[in-house]
Amino acid sequence: MKAYPNCEAVPCEQFEGAFQAVELWLVDRAVLPIENSLGGSIHRNYDLLLRHRLHIVGEVQLAVHHCLLGLPGVRKEEIKRVISHRQALSQCEGTLTKLGVIREAVDDTAGAAQFIAQNNLYDTGAVASARAAEIYGLHILADGIQDDANNVTRFLMLARDPIIPRNDRPFKTSIMFTLEEGPGVLFKALAAFSLRNINLTKIESRPQRKRPLRVVDDCNNGVAKYFDYLFYIDFEASMADSRAQNALGHLQEFATFLRVLGSYPIDMSPIGHPAGL
Protein backbone atom coordinates (compact mmCIF):
# COMPACT_ATOMS: atom_id res chain seq x y z
CA MET A 1 0.00 0.00 0.00
CA LYS A 2 1.08 3.59 -0.56
CA ALA A 3 1.34 4.49 3.14
CA TYR A 4 3.71 1.64 4.08
CA PRO A 5 4.68 -0.24 0.89
CA ASN A 6 6.87 -2.86 2.64
CA CYS A 7 4.57 -3.64 5.54
CA GLU A 8 2.53 -6.73 6.36
CA ALA A 9 -1.13 -5.67 6.20
CA VAL A 10 -3.41 -6.89 8.99
CA PRO A 11 -7.15 -6.50 8.24
CA CYS A 12 -9.62 -5.41 10.93
CA GLU A 13 -13.37 -5.93 10.81
CA GLN A 14 -14.18 -2.58 12.43
CA PHE A 15 -12.47 0.81 12.55
CA GLU A 16 -12.24 0.56 16.35
CA GLY A 17 -10.43 -2.76 15.97
CA ALA A 18 -7.62 -0.94 14.16
CA PHE A 19 -7.24 1.51 17.05
CA GLN A 20 -7.21 -1.35 19.55
CA ALA A 21 -4.67 -3.35 17.54
CA VAL A 22 -2.17 -0.48 17.81
CA GLU A 23 -2.89 0.11 21.50
CA LEU A 24 -2.38 -3.58 22.30
CA TRP A 25 0.93 -3.71 20.38
CA LEU A 26 -0.51 -6.18 17.87
CA VAL A 27 0.52 -3.85 15.02
CA ASP A 28 2.78 -0.81 14.75
CA ARG A 29 0.49 1.49 12.75
CA ALA A 30 -3.12 1.89 11.71
CA VAL A 31 -4.22 3.47 8.43
CA LEU A 32 -7.81 4.73 8.53
CA PRO A 33 -9.97 6.79 6.16
CA ILE A 34 -10.98 10.20 7.50
CA GLU A 35 -12.65 11.96 4.55
CA ASN A 36 -13.70 11.44 0.96
CA SER A 37 -14.05 14.08 -1.75
CA LEU A 38 -17.61 12.91 -2.55
CA GLY A 39 -18.93 11.29 0.61
CA GLY A 40 -17.41 13.84 3.00
CA SER A 41 -16.12 13.13 6.49
CA ILE A 42 -16.10 9.71 8.09
CA HIS A 43 -17.55 10.80 11.41
CA ARG A 44 -17.01 7.49 13.16
CA ASN A 45 -13.25 7.93 12.96
CA TYR A 46 -13.39 11.50 14.29
CA ASP A 47 -15.17 10.12 17.36
CA LEU A 48 -12.61 7.33 17.71
CA LEU A 49 -9.71 9.79 17.52
CA LEU A 50 -11.11 11.48 20.61
CA ARG A 51 -11.89 8.25 22.45
CA HIS A 52 -8.45 6.69 21.94
CA ARG A 53 -5.00 8.11 22.72
CA LEU A 54 -3.21 7.38 19.44
CA HIS A 55 -1.26 10.03 17.54
CA ILE A 56 -1.56 11.03 13.88
CA VAL A 57 1.89 10.53 12.32
CA GLY A 58 1.08 10.93 8.62
CA GLU A 59 -1.51 11.17 5.91
CA VAL A 60 -1.96 9.69 2.45
CA GLN A 61 -4.44 10.44 -0.33
CA LEU A 62 -5.63 7.72 -2.68
CA ALA A 63 -7.87 7.81 -5.72
CA VAL A 64 -10.94 5.61 -5.41
CA HIS A 65 -11.27 2.91 -8.06
CA HIS A 66 -14.21 0.58 -7.54
CA CYS A 67 -14.90 -2.73 -9.29
CA LEU A 68 -17.94 -4.96 -9.33
CA LEU A 69 -16.81 -8.41 -8.20
CA GLY A 70 -18.54 -11.79 -8.43
CA LEU A 71 -17.82 -15.50 -8.25
CA PRO A 72 -16.03 -17.10 -11.22
CA GLY A 73 -18.45 -17.94 -14.02
CA VAL A 74 -21.08 -15.40 -12.97
CA ARG A 75 -22.12 -12.76 -15.50
CA LYS A 76 -22.89 -9.18 -14.51
CA GLU A 77 -26.51 -9.60 -15.66
CA GLU A 78 -27.01 -12.45 -13.17
CA ILE A 79 -26.26 -10.29 -10.14
CA LYS A 80 -29.41 -9.50 -8.12
CA ARG A 81 -27.82 -8.00 -4.99
CA VAL A 82 -24.68 -5.92 -4.38
CA ILE A 83 -23.02 -5.52 -0.99
CA SER A 84 -20.32 -3.10 0.13
CA HIS A 85 -19.58 -0.27 2.52
CA ARG A 86 -22.31 2.36 2.38
CA GLN A 87 -19.97 5.03 1.00
CA ALA A 88 -18.77 2.70 -1.76
CA LEU A 89 -22.38 1.97 -2.70
CA SER A 90 -23.19 5.68 -2.83
CA GLN A 91 -20.11 6.37 -4.96
CA CYS A 92 -21.35 3.85 -7.56
CA GLU A 93 -25.00 4.93 -7.48
CA GLY A 94 -25.29 5.43 -11.25
CA THR A 95 -23.91 2.04 -12.24
CA LEU A 96 -25.89 0.15 -9.61
CA THR A 97 -29.12 1.91 -10.58
CA LYS A 98 -28.64 0.85 -14.21
CA LEU A 99 -28.10 -2.75 -13.09
CA GLY A 100 -31.33 -2.65 -11.08
CA VAL A 101 -29.79 -4.50 -8.13
CA ILE A 102 -30.67 -4.53 -4.45
CA ARG A 103 -28.02 -2.74 -2.39
CA GLU A 104 -26.97 -3.82 1.09
CA ALA A 105 -24.45 -2.00 3.29
CA VAL A 106 -21.78 -3.94 5.19
CA ASP A 107 -18.79 -2.88 7.31
CA ASP A 108 -16.15 -2.62 4.57
CA THR A 109 -15.47 -3.29 0.90
CA ALA A 110 -12.94 -6.11 1.31
CA GLY A 111 -15.21 -7.80 3.83
CA ALA A 112 -17.98 -7.80 1.25
CA ALA A 113 -15.74 -9.64 -1.21
CA GLN A 114 -14.71 -12.11 1.47
CA PHE A 115 -18.33 -12.78 2.44
CA ILE A 116 -19.30 -13.63 -1.14
CA ALA A 117 -16.33 -15.97 -1.58
CA GLN A 118 -16.86 -17.78 1.72
CA ASN A 119 -20.58 -18.31 1.16
CA ASN A 120 -20.57 -19.01 -2.61
CA LEU A 121 -23.18 -16.33 -3.30
CA TYR A 122 -23.71 -16.61 -7.04
CA ASP A 123 -26.42 -13.95 -7.21
CA THR A 124 -24.48 -11.39 -5.15
CA GLY A 125 -21.77 -8.97 -6.20
CA ALA A 126 -19.41 -6.78 -4.19
CA VAL A 127 -18.16 -3.27 -4.80
CA ALA A 128 -14.48 -3.55 -3.90
CA SER A 129 -10.98 -3.21 -5.29
CA ALA A 130 -9.18 -5.34 -7.86
CA ARG A 131 -6.85 -6.38 -5.04
CA ALA A 132 -9.82 -7.80 -3.10
CA ALA A 133 -10.76 -9.84 -6.18
CA GLU A 134 -7.23 -11.25 -6.30
CA ILE A 135 -7.16 -12.10 -2.59
CA TYR A 136 -10.57 -13.82 -2.45
CA GLY A 137 -10.59 -15.49 -5.87
CA LEU A 138 -13.37 -13.39 -7.39
CA HIS A 139 -13.71 -12.11 -10.95
CA ILE A 140 -14.03 -8.49 -11.96
CA LEU A 141 -17.43 -8.17 -13.66
CA ALA A 142 -17.09 -4.42 -14.27
CA ASP A 143 -14.10 -2.15 -13.79
CA GLY A 144 -14.09 1.52 -12.72
CA ILE A 145 -17.77 1.69 -11.78
CA GLN A 146 -17.45 4.81 -9.56
CA ASP A 147 -19.65 7.69 -10.73
CA ASP A 148 -16.90 10.30 -10.50
CA ALA A 149 -13.35 9.77 -11.75
CA ASN A 150 -12.08 12.55 -9.45
CA ASN A 151 -12.87 10.64 -6.27
CA VAL A 152 -10.18 10.76 -3.58
CA THR A 153 -10.03 9.44 -0.02
CA ARG A 154 -7.69 10.87 2.60
CA PHE A 155 -6.29 8.42 5.14
CA LEU A 156 -4.54 9.05 8.46
CA MET A 157 -1.64 6.99 9.80
CA LEU A 158 -1.87 6.43 13.55
CA ALA A 159 0.76 5.30 16.06
CA ARG A 160 1.23 4.91 19.80
CA ASP A 161 3.87 7.66 19.91
CA PRO A 162 3.99 11.01 18.11
CA ILE A 163 6.71 11.90 15.65
CA ILE A 164 9.02 14.84 16.28
CA PRO A 165 7.69 17.86 14.35
CA ARG A 166 10.13 19.57 12.00
CA ASN A 167 10.42 22.74 9.96
CA ASP A 168 12.36 21.39 6.98
CA ARG A 169 9.27 20.26 5.04
CA PRO A 170 5.54 21.16 4.96
CA PHE A 171 3.70 19.89 8.02
CA LYS A 172 0.06 19.73 9.01
CA THR A 173 -1.29 19.73 12.57
CA SER A 174 -4.64 18.33 13.71
CA ILE A 175 -6.34 19.44 16.93
CA MET A 176 -9.64 19.03 18.77
CA PHE A 177 -11.10 21.62 21.15
CA THR A 178 -14.27 22.80 22.86
CA LEU A 179 -15.34 26.36 23.65
CA GLU A 180 -17.43 28.16 26.23
CA GLU A 181 -20.72 29.40 24.84
CA GLY A 182 -20.88 33.08 23.95
CA PRO A 183 -21.16 35.58 21.09
CA GLY A 184 -18.20 35.48 18.73
CA VAL A 185 -16.25 32.83 20.67
CA LEU A 186 -15.67 30.63 17.62
CA PHE A 187 -14.65 33.69 15.61
CA LYS A 188 -12.09 34.59 18.29
CA ALA A 189 -10.78 31.02 18.35
CA LEU A 190 -10.26 30.93 14.58
CA ALA A 191 -8.69 34.39 14.62
CA ALA A 192 -5.80 32.86 16.60
CA PHE A 193 -4.72 31.24 13.33
CA SER A 194 -5.66 34.03 10.93
CA LEU A 195 -3.66 36.61 12.90
CA ARG A 196 -0.56 34.46 12.39
CA ASN A 197 -1.20 33.74 8.70
CA ILE A 198 -1.81 30.03 9.34
CA ASN A 199 -4.01 28.35 6.75
CA LEU A 200 -6.85 26.13 7.99
CA THR A 201 -7.43 23.19 5.64
CA LYS A 202 -10.36 21.65 7.49
CA ILE A 203 -12.85 22.47 10.23
CA GLU A 204 -15.38 19.94 11.48
CA SER A 205 -17.86 20.06 14.35
CA ARG A 206 -19.24 17.09 16.28
CA PRO A 207 -21.81 17.11 19.09
CA GLN A 208 -20.21 16.24 22.41
CA ARG A 209 -21.20 12.74 23.44
CA LYS A 210 -21.03 13.20 27.20
CA ARG A 211 -23.14 16.35 27.26
CA PRO A 212 -24.78 16.78 23.85
CA LEU A 213 -27.41 19.30 24.96
CA ARG A 214 -27.05 22.64 26.69
CA VAL A 215 -30.24 23.89 28.33
CA VAL A 216 -30.84 27.62 28.54
CA ASP A 217 -33.70 28.77 30.73
CA ASP A 218 -35.07 32.11 29.59
CA CYS A 219 -37.83 33.37 31.87
CA ASN A 220 -39.41 35.27 28.99
CA ASN A 221 -39.28 32.62 26.26
CA GLY A 222 -39.09 29.30 28.13
CA VAL A 223 -36.39 26.65 27.97
CA ALA A 224 -34.15 26.31 24.90
CA LYS A 225 -31.92 23.33 24.13
CA TYR A 226 -28.79 23.58 22.02
CA PHE A 227 -26.09 21.13 20.98
CA ASP A 228 -22.67 21.57 22.56
CA TYR A 229 -19.98 20.99 19.96
CA LEU A 230 -16.43 19.73 19.78
CA PHE A 231 -14.35 21.20 16.94
CA TYR A 232 -11.74 19.43 14.82
CA ILE A 233 -9.26 21.54 12.85
CA ASP A 234 -6.39 20.80 10.45
CA PHE A 235 -3.94 23.65 9.85
CA GLU A 236 -0.81 23.98 7.73
CA ALA A 237 2.00 24.46 10.22
CA SER A 238 4.33 22.30 12.25
CA MET A 239 4.27 22.34 16.05
CA ALA A 240 7.97 23.16 15.72
CA ASP A 241 6.85 26.50 14.25
CA SER A 242 6.53 29.31 16.81
CA ARG A 243 3.43 30.56 14.96
CA ALA A 244 1.63 27.29 15.70
CA GLN A 245 2.76 27.31 19.33
CA ASN A 246 1.57 30.89 19.81
CA ALA A 247 -1.72 30.18 18.02
CA LEU A 248 -2.51 27.30 20.38
CA GLY A 249 -1.51 29.41 23.36
CA HIS A 250 -3.95 32.05 22.13
CA LEU A 251 -6.65 29.43 21.53
CA GLN A 252 -6.32 28.17 25.10
CA GLU A 253 -7.64 31.53 26.29
CA PHE A 254 -11.05 30.51 24.90
CA ALA A 255 -10.92 26.71 24.88
CA THR A 256 -12.35 24.59 27.69
CA PHE A 257 -10.55 21.56 26.22
CA LEU A 258 -7.68 21.33 23.73
CA ARG A 259 -5.84 18.28 22.41
CA VAL A 260 -3.19 18.04 19.70
CA LEU A 261 -3.91 14.85 17.74
CA GLY A 262 -0.70 15.03 15.74
CA SER A 263 1.74 17.15 13.79
CA TYR A 264 2.85 15.31 10.66
CA PRO A 265 4.18 15.72 7.10
CA ILE A 266 1.69 16.78 4.43
CA ASP A 267 1.23 14.19 1.69
CA MET A 268 2.82 15.93 -1.31
CA SER A 269 3.12 12.81 -3.50
CA PRO A 270 0.97 12.11 -6.57
CA ILE A 271 -2.43 10.67 -5.67
CA GLY A 272 -2.11 6.88 -5.71
CA HIS A 273 -4.37 4.11 -7.03
CA PRO A 274 -6.44 2.31 -5.96
CA ALA A 275 -8.40 2.56 -2.71
CA GLY A 276 -11.46 0.68 -1.61
CA LEU A 277 -12.89 3.83 -0.02
Side-chain angles (χ1 to χ4, degrees):
M1 60 188 301
K2 183 183 175 185
Y4 297 106
N6 299 317
C7 75
E8 177 189 353
V10 178
C12 296
E13 291 187 2
Q14 304 282 346
F15 289 142
E16 187 158 22
F19 281 82
Q20 293 172 343
V22 178
E23 290 173 331
L24 295 173
W25 294 75
L26 301 176
V27 298
D28 297 315
R29 298 284 191 274
V31 180
L32 288 159
I34 196 67
E35 59 182 330
N36 174 263
S37 57
L38 297 182
S41 298
I42 300 172
H43 295 121
R44 173 65 174 159
N45 285 340
Y46 283 104
D47 295 338
L48 290 171
L49 282 170
L50 180 63
R51 186 180 306 172
H52 295 267
R53 299 297 299 182
L54 298 183
H55 301 270
I56 304 173
V57 295
E59 66 173 2
V60 63
Q61 298 184 61
L62 294 175
V64 174
H65 188 89
H66 289 307
C67 302
L68 178 63
L69 311 182
L71 289 173
V74 173
R75 293 182 296 111
K76 180 172 62 173
E77 295 74 20
E78 297 174 314
I79 297 296
K80 306 299 181 187
R81 179 179 66 142
V82 171
I83 61 175
S84 193
H85 188 276
R86 61 182 178 274
Q87 284 208 15
L89 293 174
S90 69
Q91 291 163 9
C92 303
E93 178 74 23
T95 299
L96 298 179
T97 298
K98 290 178 183 178
L99 288 174
V101 294
I102 298 170
R103 279 152 272 190
E104 182 179 323
V106 295
D107 290 332
D108 66 278
T109 54
Q114 183 183 32
F115 183 76
I116 290 172
Q118 289 179 342
N119 294 279
N120 289 315
L121 301 176
Y122 283 89
D123 65 342
T124 304
V127 175
S129 66
R131 175 62 175 156
E134 180 183 340
I135 292 172
Y136 298 112
L138 301 180
H139 282 187
I140 297 175
L141 307 180
D143 191 18
I145 64 171
Q146 65 276 2
D147 294 338
D148 193 321
N150 299 313
N151 187 353
V152 178
T153 297
R154 175 175 169 244
F155 293 80
L156 298 179
M157 289 107 89
L158 307 176
R160 288 178 293 274
D161 299 310
I163 61 171
I164 298 174
R166 293 155 36 188
N167 276 324
D168 59 349
R169 60 174 295 181
F171 260 62
K172 182 182 290 184
T173 300
S174 299
I175 64 172
M176 280 185 172
F177 62 92
T178 57
L179 299 169
E180 287 284 0
E181 179 58 27
V185 176
L186 179 58
F187 171 80
K188 293 175 184 177
L190 298 182
F193 302 94
S194 176
L195 290 171
R196 293 164 179 85
N197 200 32
I198 296 175
N199 184 42
L200 303 183
T201 59
K202 184 174 181 64
I203 179 168
E204 182 87 16
S205 62
R206 298 287 293 148
Q208 294 189 54
R209 284 180 171 268
K210 292 187 177 179
R211 53 168 206 169
L213 288 177
R214 173 173 47 86
V215 178
V216 179
D217 190 357
D218 188 322
C219 60
N220 295 318
N221 299 307
V223 176
K225 295 180 180 179
Y226 303 94
F227 279 107
D228 265 338
Y229 287 97
L230 179 138
F231 298 95
Y232 173 101
I233 280 180
D234 291 336
F235 60 86
E236 290 182 333
S238 167
M239 283 308 299
D241 187 334
S242 60
R243 294 179 307 144
Q245 297 168 14
N246 293 334
L248 294 194
H250 189 173
L251 176 60
Q252 284 183 311
E253 297 177 16
F254 315 104
T256 55
F257 163 80
L258 173 62
R259 179 175 157 196
V260 177
L261 299 171
S263 190
Y264 49 93
I266 296 175
D267 181 14
M268 308 289 287
S269 63
I271 294 175
H273 292 266
L277 269 180

